[in-house]
Amino acid sequence: MKSYIEPEFIVERNQDKCIRCKVCINQCTYETHYYDAEDDIVYSHDENCVNCHRCVVFCPTRAITIKRNPTQYTENWNWTREAVTAIKNQAETGGIILTGMGCDKPYYTYWDRLLLNASQVTNPSIDPLREPMELRTYLGAKPDKLEFDLESGNSILRTKLAPQLCVETPILFTALSYGAISLNVHEALARAATEYGTFMNTGEGGLDRRLYKYGDHIIVQVASGRFGVSPDYLNVGAALEIKIGQGAKPGIGGHLPGEKVTEDISRTRMIPTGTDALSPAPQHDIYSIEDLRQLIYALKEETDYTKPVSVKIAAVHNSAAIASGMVRAGADIIALDGIRGATGAAPRIIRDNVGVPIELALASVDQRLREEGIRNKASIIVAGGIKSSADVVKAIALGADAVYIGTAALVAIGCTMCQRCHTGKCPWGIATPDPWISKRINPDIATRRLVNLLRGWSLEIKEMMGGMGINAIESLRGNRLQLRGIALTDTELKILGVKMAGD
Amino acid sequence: METITKVNNPYGEDKVIDACSLFGMMDLTGRRFGSKAPVKAISNMHERGNGLGGGYAIYGLYPEHKDDYAFHIMYLNGESKEKTDRLLAKNFDVLQAEEMPVNPAANVWSPPLIWQYFLQPKKDAAKNQSNDEYVMQNVMRINSETGGAFVFSSGKNMGVFKGVGFPEDIAEYFCLDEYEGYLWVCHGRFPTNTPGWWGGAHPFNILDWTVVHNGELSSYGINRRYLEMYGYHCTMQTDTEVMAYALDLLMRKQNLPMEVVARILAPPLWIEIDNMEPNEKRLCIVMRQCYSSLLMNGPFTIIAAHNGEMIGLTDRIKLRPLTASVKGHVLYLSSEESAIQLVTSNLDRVWSPRGGEPVIGRLKTMKPVEILAPKVMK
């Protein structure tokens, strides 16, 4: 069948600059570029280009420019190019259109409509270069109060606290499953988390035994496919996370195609090589809140109540009520993943149409837990499109204890968000099981880039906190008076629990 | 409640911002003394206030009524007094009620009607709760339901006198030279976003707890939301109110010792905690984990008092001043040392407590208690 789909991108090569070194040909995993010996010219198959910029960055003479195809269908605000192309695609394949990364639709990013406060006159701002500025955060259930026994004048603590995770900066690496991303990326995340005093989350694909030594800084995930879940795995992590849902695909399971299940991945996921790894949409032993409680306590039993258990859900319409149930079911941490949360593969229609922006879900969950007097019973980690340190500060002021970053971490090590993770051919060596391509991530360099990102953001967070006259992050958490909304309706302001700028 | 919020915070700001002068003086033997020294001292810090608020809390004030709840109530209108009187008559045995003696010649702004009551809860009225809890609920009701009455103080053997004016004028208005107590807490106020309102002056009181405060809490937003989880309604929208409720929650309801409470409100820095010996370290970590939302961040100095105890505390990096001093059995706490030097010479000891290190005066404990943080940060 002749395809009616036109190339989305056009590769332009400045022939004066091109030295025929063929780096672009070697770097492109989509076989976009080819060399014609007769002409002594490098040409491109534009239709293969995914706009990943691998060739652009690695071209030694900067000869390559990628442009959006200027040939457009007749302009129509309803029938956009994306809509028309999708229909043609489906007419040719009869399938579901897959994509990677997070929702790219122009739904409000509420972070960008929230502004931060700073101290003037009545209280001093604090200079983080001169004064201590504390970002350390403990994640886990806190008691309502502490009780002490008085023994010979000394206060002896009687209350026993639930296990806690200590993070030196309120930023954790979110669940990125082995198989969807390469071992080298997993290693870099684990090493960076260890070096900076935070955590990486294994995602649902288990943990390669070579990374067990970083277990003190790893959250091990248990998802519906139960890939790689063993007593060793559960006990090697610092915390456990039950994955109910994911912001990029609420209500949808996962599917790692058999060709991605290489020998290493098969060993870690504990499935035969070459078989599809299917994660069911629900966890088939959790059809209700009381079932969740059983799994939470099964995991706590297995780990002897020494590790906090997190439960991750996608932000959906009734997140507040669901979160309240999760806390009462025994979750020590609630992980909320908003509509802009990314994925290695999801149906585009789900990714772009299901869920709630994380800002709104966070605001309502935090408020509900407070109204019910149980906010201290669980920490909240939010995920889904956190793109700067300002987003982190705003998330914490809205009520989060910490944030998960995924996309930002991958961008730090090369990702350009071309949204083709599902192909497994990531030219940056990130979202690929291919041992040859994944060598493009050097764990040493990737670790350095990730640590630099954490450091840069942490310094910026300290600057913003200092400006507000706050020298401990706990005084920012849930402190919505430090936020003001701009260009928001009364209803939005009410849900966010913030005042309008100028008010 | 609405009424108080509106009167105290007419522009509907996040909260009422003010700064101040503080002075506290306590005779640790319990000997009662007059107004001369405390009023002179607080008046010396005239420049720290702007005439929009001054006030005093005096302990050991009513020895002849020491077991009765002493209520000082201000009324904005006659109707609220009628309502309050009805409520009091219904729920309490009113042992004595009279208009507060005042000197109308004093230079104060628009004084309201102020009455003084001695009360005992009606027999069996408190039912399943303590008398304190019962009294507290009635105070909340008067403040919220009568539309114009506000309880200045509601403790035993103590009282609060406050209003709009400089502290020296307030002292004159309430004829404080006729009173004695073993513990005086004084306050001069510099509000920036509220017009004068007599109820808005410090000290802030609940039962026998009073707090005077200088500073602005950057953490107010979360402190308040945390306290709301425990049923406190922050109607005054001031840092002082949040501070008072935090003390009430931690000390009265949760029964934590002041040594612990100080470390909750102004905890040691993590870098200090990391270097503590294991037991103390564990304790400090757990306190910060559990009570992180009650960390009072941003500049503050407070002098908190209740029967038999006076506590001075600053924020952990000491962004507001506090000087402590001892002469004989008298403990002084002040925003400025000069105020102490003015009223007492040849002090035994003068020192500036470090940030987050409380100074506590306890009746019959002849030396003030100091809780020093480990010195890690230079």
Side-chain angles (χ1 to χ4, degrees):
Chain A
M1 198 191 298
K2 160 76 179 161
S3 174
Y4 298 159
I5 299 171
E6 298 163 27
E8 197 176 350
F9 304 100
I10 303 289
V11 180
E12 283 184 359
R13 182 175 284 97
N14 184 333
Q15 295 297 350
D16 293 343
K17 286 187 178 174
C18 178
I19 54 172
R20 284 73 166 153
C21 69
K22 299 175 196 159
V23 161
C24 51
I25 300 172
N26 294 330
Q27 291 295 320
C28 184
T29 54
Y30 292 93
E31 295 169 354
T32 302
H33 313 287
Y34 63 97
Y35 176 65
D36 187 317
E38 205 170 307
D39 293 357
D40 187 31
I41 284 180
V42 181
Y43 293 109
S44 300
H45 297 297
D46 289 338
E47 64 276 18
N48 288 357
C49 177
V50 300
N51 192 29
C52 75
H53 291 214
R54 183 77 185 180
C55 59
V56 175
V57 171
F58 278 77
C59 175
T61 59
R62 298 273 181 221
I64 301 172
T65 310
I66 311 289
K67 288 198 169 149
R68 181 164 283 278
N69 189 344
T71 312
Q72 294 289 334
Y73 299 116
T74 306
E75 194 173 352
N76 187 314
W77 279 46
N78 187 41
W79 296 97
T80 58
R81 181 196 180 96
E82 182 192 324
V84 171
T85 309
I87 289 172
K88 290 185 185 299
N89 190 341
Q90 288 183 300
E92 288 166 18
T93 62
I96 289 174
I97 296 175
L98 291 182
T99 187
M101 302 314 292
C103 171
D104 60 3
K105 293 287 160 287
Y107 306 133
Y108 282 0
T109 297
Y110 284 92
W111 304 131
D112 297 340
R113 291 176 181 241
L114 291 169
L115 299 173
L116 294 165
N117 191 27
S119 300
Q120 300 288 299
V121 181
T122 54
N123 63 354
S125 45
I126 303 168
D127 183 349
L129 297 176
R130 294 160 192 267
E131 303 275 353
M133 195 58 67
E134 301 184 318
L135 300 187
R136 189 182 295 178
T137 300
Y138 283 91
L139 304 171
K142 314 292 191 297
D144 283 333
K145 60 175 179 178
L146 294 180
E147 289 179 305
F148 293 86
D149 286 333
L150 216 62
E151 276 175 29
S152 57
N154 289 326
S155 302
I156 310 293
L157 182 67
R158 210 171 63 208
T159 312
K160 199 174 173 315
L161 235 67
Q164 307 281 324
L165 285 188
C166 174
V167 288
E168 294 297 340
T169 191
I171 307 166
L172 297 83
F173 297 127
T174 196
L176 294 158
S177 66
Y178 180 37
I181 59 166
S182 65
L183 180 65
N184 284 354
V185 178
H186 245 209
E187 180 185 335
L189 290 166
R191 283 168 57 186
T194 304
E195 188 175 330
Y196 210 84
T198 181
F199 294 85
M200 69 89 83
N201 188 314
T202 59
E204 61 176 302
L207 182 67
D208 190 289
R209 283 192 178 264
R210 284 167 281 183
L211 302 182
Y212 272 26
K213 59 185 170 206
Y214 304 112
D216 288 348
H217 291 273
I218 291 178
I219 299 170
V220 294
Q221 205 181 52
V222 176
S224 61
R226 301 289 153 85
F227 298 117
V229 176
S230 67
D232 282 356
Y233 171 74
L234 295 177
N235 280 290
V236 80
L240 303 99
E241 183 170 276
I242 298 170
K243 177 194 173 182
I244 301 294
Q246 184 175 345
K249 43 181 174 179
I252 295 290
H255 177 190
L256 191 73
E259 57 263 33
K260 287 193 186 179
V261 182
T262 61
E263 202 156 302
D264 277 349
I265 288 166
S266 114
R267 200 180 315 114
T268 300
R269 289 208 174 206
M270 306 193 304
I271 51 171
T273 312
T275 53
D276 286 5
L278 291 164
S279 297
Q283 301 235 1
H284 280 305
D285 53 358
I286 303 178
Y287 282 14
S288 66
I289 192 76
E290 64 269 25
D291 292 345
L292 174 67
R293 184 176 175 83
Q294 290 198 2
L295 182 58
I296 290 172
Y297 279 90
L299 295 180
K300 288 187 175 181
E301 284 287 333
E302 173 55 37
T303 52
D304 208 15
Y305 296 85
T306 57
K307 302 172 198 293
V309 173
S310 163
V311 179
K312 176 181 176 180
I313 57 165
V316 288
H317 298 179
N318 298 311
S319 297
I322 297 163
S324 163
M326 283 154 54
V327 176
R328 293 174 198 283
D332 300 293
I333 298 169
I334 291 178
L336 283 172
D337 194 8
I339 191 168
R340 287 186 302 273
T343 175
R348 184 176 197 116
I349 210 77
I350 301 290
R351 188 196 74 172
D352 291 351
N353 293 284
V354 184
V356 173
I358 190 60
E359 303 90 328
L360 302 177
L362 165 60
S364 55
V365 167
D366 175 67
Q367 184 57 29
R368 176 71 63 85
L369 296 183
R370 285 183 190 283
E371 280 165 14
E372 296 186 5
I374 54 174
R375 177 62 184 86
N376 53 322
K377 299 268 191 268
S379 295
I380 299 177
I381 309 180
V382 295
I386 304 282
K387 65 186 179 307
S388 71
S389 57
D391 291 357
V392 179
V393 170
K394 290 167 187 176
I396 290 170
L398 261 189
D401 290 82
V403 305
Y404 267 140
I405 57 167
T407 301
L410 298 186
V411 169
I413 60 173
C415 170
T416 54
M417 294 187 293
C418 68
Q419 311 189 12
R420 297 302 202 283
C421 323
H422 56 292
T423 65
K425 296 203 282 191
C426 176
W428 290 90
I430 297 167
T432 176
D434 184 317
W436 181 252
I437 314 175
S438 63
K439 276 191 181 164
R440 295 180 179 188
I441 292 290
N442 173 326
D444 292 344
I445 296 171
T447 301
R448 185 59 30 225
R449 295 181 77 99
L450 288 167
V451 168
N452 281 344
L453 176 72
L454 291 174
R455 181 172 182 275
W457 281 19
S458 301
L459 290 173
E460 289 176 343
I461 292 170
K462 289 179 178 184
E463 290 287 343
M464 284 179 266
M465 281 168 52
M468 288 184 248
I470 286 174
N471 64 2
I473 194 120
E474 55 254 51
S475 301
L476 176 66
R477 189 188 313 138
N479 192 344
R480 296 187 188 175
L481 293 181
Q482 301 296 343
L483 295 171
R484 286 290 191 272
I486 189 155
L488 295 173
T489 64
D490 282 358
T491 309
E492 288 166 317
L493 292 169
K494 186 168 152 257
I495 291 169
L496 289 167
V498 301
K499 288 187 184 179
M500 178 76 187
D503 186 4
Chain B
M1 222 171 282
E2 274 296 292
T3 320
I4 290 175
T5 306
K6 270 192 198 132
V7 175
N8 199 47
N9 188 2
Y11 303 113
E13 319 232 18
D14 288 352
K15 60 169 178 173
V16 177
I17 299 172
D18 48 17
C20 321
S21 56
L22 315 179
F23 186 83
M25 182 172 169
M26 178 179 188
D27 191 311
L28 301 176
T29 64
R31 185 188 61 85
R32 297 165 71 222
F33 54 88
S35 68
K36 200 174 157 208
V39 172
K40 191 174 175 188
I42 193 76
S43 309
N44 189 54
M45 295 186 280
H46 186 90
E47 289 298 315
R48 301 183 71 91
N50 64 359
L52 289 180
Y56 302 83
I58 309 170
Y59 289 81
L61 180 65
Y62 299 122
E64 64 281 13
H65 282 285
K66 66 181 167 57
D67 295 321
D68 303 327
Y69 289 94
F71 275 39
H72 290 184
I73 307 180
M74 66 158 269
Y75 299 107
L76 291 174
N77 50 50
E79 193 195 339
S80 61
K81 178 161 192 307
E82 281 169 30
K83 282 189 187 166
T84 305
D85 282 343
R86 273 202 299 276
L87 190 142
L88 290 177
K90 188 168 154 238
N91 296 338
F92 293 90
D93 292 325
V94 181
L95 308 172
Q96 192 178 318
E98 62 185 28
E99 194 177 340
M100 186 74 81
V102 293
N103 173 5
N107 179 25
V108 295
W109 179 82
S110 185
L113 180 66
I114 298 169
W115 274 59
Q116 176 200 62
Y117 302 81
F118 292 104
L119 308 169
Q120 278 295 337
K122 277 239 157 65
K123 211 164 183 290
D124 301 329
K127 286 187 191 119
N128 297 326
Q129 53 190 350
S130 67
N131 277 349
D132 278 355
E133 199 68 39
Y134 179 76
V135 169
M136 188 169 146
Q137 281 173 11
N138 276 281
V139 170
M140 297 280 177
R141 280 189 63 189
I142 294 170
N143 290 347
S144 60
E145 291 174 14
T146 56
F150 183 71
V151 182
F152 276 4
S153 61
S154 50
K156 290 178 181 173
N157 200 14
M158 59 80 64
V160 167
F161 304 86
K162 62 181 182 179
V164 178
F166 283 100
E168 54 271 32
D169 301 325
I170 296 296
E172 193 186 344
Y173 182 71
F174 283 106
C175 316
L176 291 192
D177 51 356
E178 292 175 16
Y179 297 94
E180 283 191 335
Y182 65 86
L183 194 177
W184 287 64
V185 177
C186 322
H187 188 261
R189 187 175 185 221
F190 198 136
T192 58
N193 65 348
T194 178
W197 177 58
W198 283 59
H202 300 202
F204 186 85
N205 164 279
I206 187 161
L207 295 168
D208 76 332
W209 272 102
T210 56
V211 180
V212 292
H213 166 266
N214 169 22
E216 189 196 333
L217 297 176
S218 313
S219 57
Y220 175 82
I222 186 56
N223 302 145
R224 175 182 171 163
R225 289 183 84 206
Y226 183 82
L227 289 165
E228 282 171 350
M229 244 172 64
Y230 292 88
Y232 292 92
H233 301 288
C234 298
T235 49
M236 300 282 288
Q237 303 184 337
T238 62
D239 293 337
T240 321
E241 180 187 43
V242 152
M243 201 66 92
Y245 290 159
L247 289 170
D248 186 69
L249 175 71
L250 297 173
M251 300 198 71
R252 188 175 66 82
K253 286 198 177 155
Q254 301 190 355
N255 209 19
L256 298 177
M258 189 58 217
E259 288 79 351
V260 170
V261 172
R263 292 199 152 180
I264 289 169
L265 303 181
L269 298 160
W270 287 120
I271 191 173
E272 294 168 333
I273 293 173
D274 289 344
N275 286 288
M276 289 174 175
E277 55 90 15
N279 276 337
E280 197 187 9
K281 179 175 173 180
R282 207 182 94 69
L283 196 65
C284 282
I285 291 176
V286 169
M287 283 192 285
R288 281 196 73 171
Q289 286 174 333
C290 182
Y291 291 107
S292 55
S293 298
L294 281 181
L295 192 166
M296 300 289 166
N297 214 317
F300 75 81
T301 299
I302 56 166
I303 299 177
H306 64 144
N307 278 319
E309 203 167 52
M310 175 171 80
I311 302 134
L313 179 70
T314 67
D315 65 270
R316 60 212 196 115
I317 57 172
K318 202 166 182 186
L319 296 168
R320 286 287 190 271
L322 178 68
T323 300
S325 180
V326 175
K327 168 77 184 272
H329 295 306
V330 180
L331 169 67
Y332 300 88
L333 297 171
S334 175
S335 294
E336 294 177 7
E337 185 185 331
S338 57
I340 305 172
Q341 297 281 8
L342 181 71
V343 295
T344 321
S345 51
N346 299 320
L347 295 164
D348 299 342
R349 188 182 163 208
V350 186
W351 76 104
S352 285
R354 292 181 352 128
E357 294 181 350
V359 177
I360 306 167
R362 283 192 183 126
L363 213 52
K364 311 297 178 200
T365 303
M366 292 312 160
K367 255 183 76 179
V369 181
E370 288 174 75
I371 301 156
L372 304 179
K375 290 186 173 51
V376 178
M377 296 297 295
K378 292 282 183 294

